[in-house]
Amino acid sequence: MSLANFFVVQYQRGAQGCPFHLPGELNQERLEWDPFEKNPFSVVIMKEYVYTVTDPEIKSIEFDFYGPEMKIVSDEFLEVCVELNVKFRAIPLEIVLNGKKISNKKYFIFLPGDYDALMDVLASNFSEELDLESGGVMMNRIFPSYSIYSKIDRFVPKSGITSHFFRCIELMDLVCTREFMSKAHEKKLHGIRFVPIDDTYRFDPWADW
């Protein structure tokens, strides 16, 4: 098995302060940016964001990274990003739990500032999503020059990637380098799972359906 240099970054739920789900209500009906905003630095933020947790069984929040949709990170997570010159936009987020504002950590909505195509298409094995009407390959609406993948059985990363933390175009998910993972472990960031993109890695978005 080869040693992975890149890792898919996911929320590690179940530990102390890392609930399986974080049900709640955001005080704004709409966000001021697109879910996969390509240029977060151009977004004008005028509103304040407050997330009120509605599950009374959740007694504490300790995570430094939360997903899967809107990414919520702590100031400790952002420190790792700053140390490694990661491009990002962080929108302050007040979290209210059991009627009180979380005070043990500062939280932010995280918008990645880098997108990269990581996969070496010549060395990898994959299937592309097909358009049922035209029969052609479906293209990514955000990155029209890239295909949408229905399955990747062998994901070989290409060389030349300089960012330590970015959204991978092929996976449309957050990916980091081994150095970022090491820094996160060094700072004991809580609630983060690093899935290695190695010989055993498989991308199958329909597997859980």
Side-chain angles (χ1 to χ4, degrees), residues 107-161:
Y107 283 104
F108 303 82
I109 302 171
F110 183 86
L111 303 180
D114 269 337
Y115 287 77
D116 272 307
L118 178 62
M119 187 171 69
D120 183 336
V121 294
L122 296 179
S124 302
N125 297 325
F126 54 83
S127 299
E128 295 169 308
E129 196 73 52
L130 299 180
D131 188 308
L132 296 179
E133 294 184 3
S134 68
V137 174
M138 290 185 66
M139 306 306 289
N140 190 313
R141 67 175 183 83
I142 302 171
F143 301 93
S145 59
Y146 292 93
S147 306
I148 294 177
Y149 297 93
S150 59
K151 194 174 183 182
I152 302 176
D153 292 312
R154 184 167 185 255
F155 191 121
V156 179
K158 64 184 181 182
S159 59
I161 302 298

Side-chain angles (χ1 to χ4, degrees), residues 77-88 114 162-165 176-184 186-187:
F77 180 94
L78 295 182
E79 288 175 6
V80 174
C81 292
V82 170
E83 286 186 26
L84 293 175
N85 297 313
V86 171
K87 296 178 182 178
F88 67 88
D114 269 337
T162 57
S163 177
H164 285 286
F165 193 94
C176 76
T177 60
R178 176 170 291 278
E179 186 172 353
F180 186 98
M181 181 184 68
S182 297
K183 287 278 187 182
E186 178 184 319
K187 291 185 176 293

Side-chain angles (χ1 to χ4, degrees), residues 7-23 51 53 55 58-74 77 95 97 105 107 165 173-176 180 185 189-195:
F7 301 80
V8 180
V9 181
Q10 299 178 346
Y11 175 52
Q12 180 68 62
R13 55 192 180 181
Q16 176 66 34
C18 299
F20 278 81
H21 301 287
L22 194 67
Y51 190 82
V53 179
D55 186 348
I58 298 177
K59 303 302 182 184
S60 67
I61 292 177
E62 302 289 342
F63 57 75
D64 292 298
F65 177 91
Y66 179 81
E69 289 85 17
M70 185 173 72
K71 307 301 183 185
I72 301 173
V73 303
S74 69
F77 180 94
I95 298 180
L97 178 65
K105 290 178 181 284
Y107 283 104
F165 193 94
D173 209 346
L174 297 176
V175 167
C176 76
F180 186 98
H185 287 326
L189 295 189
H190 201 48
I192 308 180
R193 178 183 178 220
F194 297 96
V195 180

